[in-house]
Amino acid sequence: MAKDKIAYVCSNCGQESPKWIGKCPACGQWNTFKEIRVAGDTGSQAARSAAATVRSGQTVGTRSNKALRLRDISSKDDPRIDMHDAELNRVLGGGLVPGSIVLLGGEPGIGKSTLSLQTMLRLPEKKILYVSGEESVHQLKMRAERLGGENENFLILCENSLEAIFDHIKEEHPDLIIIDSIQTIMTEDVESSAGSIAQVRECASALLRFAKSSSVPVILIGHITKEGTLAGPKILEHIVDTVIQFEGDQHYMYRILRSMKNRFGSTAELGIYEMQQNGLRQVSNPSELLLTQDHDGLSGIAISSAIEGVRPFLVETQALVSSAAYGTPQRSATGFDQRRLNMLLAVLEKRVGFKLMQKDVFINIAGGLRVTDLAMDLSVIAAVLSSNVDTPIESGWCMAGEVGLSGEVRPVNRIEQRIAEAEKLGFTDMIIPKYNLQGFDHKKYHITLHPVRKVEEALRELFG
């Protein structure tokens, strides 16, 4: 019997090394090499015997694939699987692609299993195999009853062995497979515990080969580390076709489904859900959760027309500016890039002349949403100044514009959709970059547009 040996694998990129290294030569990260125990030299012996067979001129095995000319390959796409969930379909790029492998990640208790179970119960036309390595069949039955769904073709398997899972797949021939979670599955080919780097990588690779060869889509549910990244080696994200992350503050009712990687669609899409007692409700109009009902007379609040993916929505930006209590001013941002906040505060001080050096500045995006749209710059500056002078912005005003380092208001994309969304929600005035007035008929909108070139002009429109 071959003796087991020790190897070291980088948890960030999957690079292997026979000994421990402080810095990974592939990705440059420090202290990422983890020790794993590998079975004996059976693999290397097989490789040496295969190489010897090739040198002797014999054929090794049978070829399952052959090289094809580009012009001989059909470009016709298989029809996507409709998940009967508009938000999930949008994030996936129009539905689930047959033969794809999707990784769904999120913090514990955020609702990953609820989302997957709720979605699968709404697919009666598909035979679904739900493999759970964390819960019993009775727990899943109780959750399904709470969600109020019923599916005669829904099969539940509580199993941790990958070989046993493939045996059940051969018996049942499902149309869709859910693995909850990939960190609990283990294979006999790797001599290590479930959840280790080698186990996660080997199990994911085996499921990928199955998905591509059978055209059966596989959805993997993964854990999130305390740093907010997907647990397991970074190579796991390279193996799968799509990585979607379920995120949100557990103190809020709303959850955000965001695409981090998608080989079949855009990564700019996001889906919004509301956590309720009987499951997750789709939020078709995001502005309903991002705008409070009444903020008249409150300073430090500005409304911005933002776009994430293809959908526009109105976002409420909240700011609080106060004197630094402990001498060193604090800069804190929730839902907004803090480095960009520091840049906008420098622009406000250098170009506009407001001294905020000895002030604490806190920024919050209402609703627990994290926004990356650069058109939020103008609303952040407006909210900060409103809080600083303790003067509220009139109701009915919103804005969109990127702010440059010289204090200019730069144009933003898809301005017509932003204006239409603001008008639909009853806003009467909107500040936009002056350059965006070109190229479309702004007279067809009933909302009053205020084009500006510099930050000072925007602040003059808001505060007189």
Side-chain angles (χ1 to χ4, degrees):
M1 180 177 178
K3 182 180 179 181
D4 292 351
K5 62 179 182 179
I6 301 298
Y8 296 87
V9 177
C10 175
S11 60
N12 187 54
C13 66
Q15 174 76 18
E16 296 185 3
S17 172
K19 62 180 181 178
W20 187 86
I21 306 175
K23 182 180 179 181
C24 177
C27 63
Q29 297 295 317
W30 286 89
N31 298 325
T32 55
F33 275 89
K34 308 295 182 183
E35 177 183 313
I36 63 171
R37 186 174 299 276
V38 185
D41 290 338
T42 54
S44 58
Q45 291 173 1
R48 287 194 294 268
S49 61
T53 307
V54 171
R55 285 193 297 269
S56 63
Q58 301 177 11
T59 303
V60 182
T62 59
R63 293 181 297 175
S64 58
N65 297 321
K66 67 176 183 178
L68 297 175
R69 296 183 184 275
L70 182 61
R71 65 172 180 265
D72 297 334
I73 302 174
S74 173
S75 61
K76 183 179 178 181
D77 293 332
D78 292 332
R80 292 177 181 252
I81 300 173
D82 184 9
M83 307 301 289
H84 301 296
D85 186 322
E87 300 296 305
L88 182 58
N89 283 338
R90 179 187 294 107
V91 175
L92 290 174
L96 188 62
V97 177
S100 64
I101 182 165
V102 179
L103 177 60
L104 171 61
E107 296 179 356
I110 204 69
K112 304 184 298 296
S113 300
T114 300
L115 175 64
S116 57
L117 187 60
Q118 171 181 295
T119 305
M120 296 308 117
L121 290 174
R122 296 175 180 172
L123 293 172
E125 69 276 9
K126 299 292 182 181
K127 189 174 184 180
I128 299 165
L129 178 62
Y130 190 100
V131 181
S132 176
E134 300 177 343
E135 298 179 276
S136 66
V137 291
H138 302 291
Q139 291 174 310
L140 292 171
K141 175 64 175 178
M142 292 170 58
R143 178 177 293 179
E145 291 177 347
R146 179 172 58 85
L147 296 175
E150 187 63 38
N151 188 351
E152 293 295 331
N153 292 325
F154 189 74
L155 306 175
I156 295 178
L157 172 65
C158 294
E159 183 60 68
N160 296 100
S161 172
L162 184 65
E163 288 74 19
I165 292 172
F166 279 132
D167 290 341
H168 284 85
I169 291 174
K170 292 178 182 178
E171 294 177 5
E172 303 294 344
H173 300 287
D175 300 319
L176 179 60
I177 299 171
I178 312 290
I179 305 293
D180 185 11
S181 65
I182 185 62
Q183 279 83 10
T184 62
I185 307 301
M186 60 184 300
T187 175
E188 297 175 357
D189 296 337
V190 178
E191 293 291 334
S192 60
S193 60
S196 64
I197 296 172
Q199 285 284 4
V200 170
R201 183 178 57 180
E202 188 64 30
C203 292
S205 300
L207 290 167
L208 173 68
R209 290 191 295 269
F210 164 77
K212 299 303 179 185
S213 61
S214 63
S215 295
V216 175
V218 178
I219 298 178
L220 309 177
I221 298 178
H223 295 161
I224 292 291
T225 63
K226 61 182 180 180
E227 290 84 12
T229 58
L230 286 162
K234 196 70 175 178
I235 196 173
L236 179 62
E237 299 180 36
H238 297 292
I239 289 174
V240 300
D241 298 313
T242 305
V243 178
I244 53 179
Q245 193 157 329
F246 208 38
E247 59 189 35
D249 193 334
Q250 296 194 11
H251 299 290
Y252 287 93
M253 297 180 295
Y254 299 102
R255 303 287 187 266
I256 309 297
L257 188 65
R258 192 184 300 270
S259 175
M260 313 301 290
K261 169 193 174 182
N262 195 348
R263 288 174 178 161
F264 312 111
S266 172
T267 57
E269 299 296 341
L270 57 84
I272 303 178
Y273 296 87
E274 181 185 6
M275 179 66 78
Q276 296 181 339
Q277 185 67 27
N278 57 350
L280 292 161
R281 179 184 72 88
Q282 303 175 43
V283 179
S284 57
N285 182 16
S287 299
E288 70 180 63
L289 70 97
L290 301 173
L291 296 178
T292 57
Q293 298 301 318
D294 184 20
H295 54 77
D296 290 342
L298 300 177
S299 63
I301 294 178
I303 309 299
S304 177
S305 182
I307 284 183
E308 289 284 338
V310 298
R311 51 161 48 166
F313 48 85
L314 276 296
V315 183
E316 180 180 307
T317 306
Q318 301 173 347
L320 176 62
V321 180
S322 62
S323 299
Y326 304 105
T328 303
Q330 300 183 56
R331 304 285 188 261
S332 177
T334 303
F336 190 77
D337 186 4
Q338 186 163 342
R339 293 174 298 180
R340 190 155 191 88
L341 171 62
N342 294 332
M343 185 269 286
L344 295 176
L345 295 178
V347 170
L348 196 59
E349 184 164 343
K350 177 73 174 180
R351 304 299 181 185
V352 188
F354 286 92
K355 302 301 180 182
L356 301 172
M357 188 178 300
Q358 299 301 322
K359 299 291 185 69
D360 292 337
V361 180
F362 303 95
I363 292 291
N364 177 51
I365 304 300
L369 184 68
R370 179 169 55 87
V371 183
T372 58
D373 190 1
L374 296 179
M376 294 283 297
D377 290 354
L378 206 54
S379 65
V380 170
I381 283 184
V384 168
L385 186 58
S386 172
S387 178
N388 186 43
V389 299
D390 201 17
T391 301
I393 297 174
E394 292 183 19
S395 61
W397 283 69
C398 66
M399 60 206 74
E402 178 187 352
V403 176
L405 290 178
S406 60
E408 80 278 14
V409 179
R410 302 175 61 84
V412 295
N413 61 343
R414 294 155 68 181
I415 190 65
E416 294 186 64
Q417 296 184 29
R418 300 174 192 268
I419 297 173
E421 180 71 11
E423 183 179 358
K424 184 178 72 174
L425 293 175
F427 285 84
T428 58
D429 296 84
M430 183 173 180
I431 298 177
I432 65 171
K434 190 172 184 178
Y435 183 79
N436 277 128
L437 276 181
Q438 305 175 7
F440 75 99
D441 183 16
H442 58 275
K443 296 181 180 179
K444 64 181 179 180
Y445 299 105
H446 300 291
I447 187 172
T448 304
L449 301 178
H450 302 267
V452 296
R453 289 181 57 250
K454 296 182 179 180
V455 174
E456 300 97 309
E457 298 177 20
L459 299 178
R460 197 177 302 117
E461 293 282 352
L462 289 171
F463 303 103

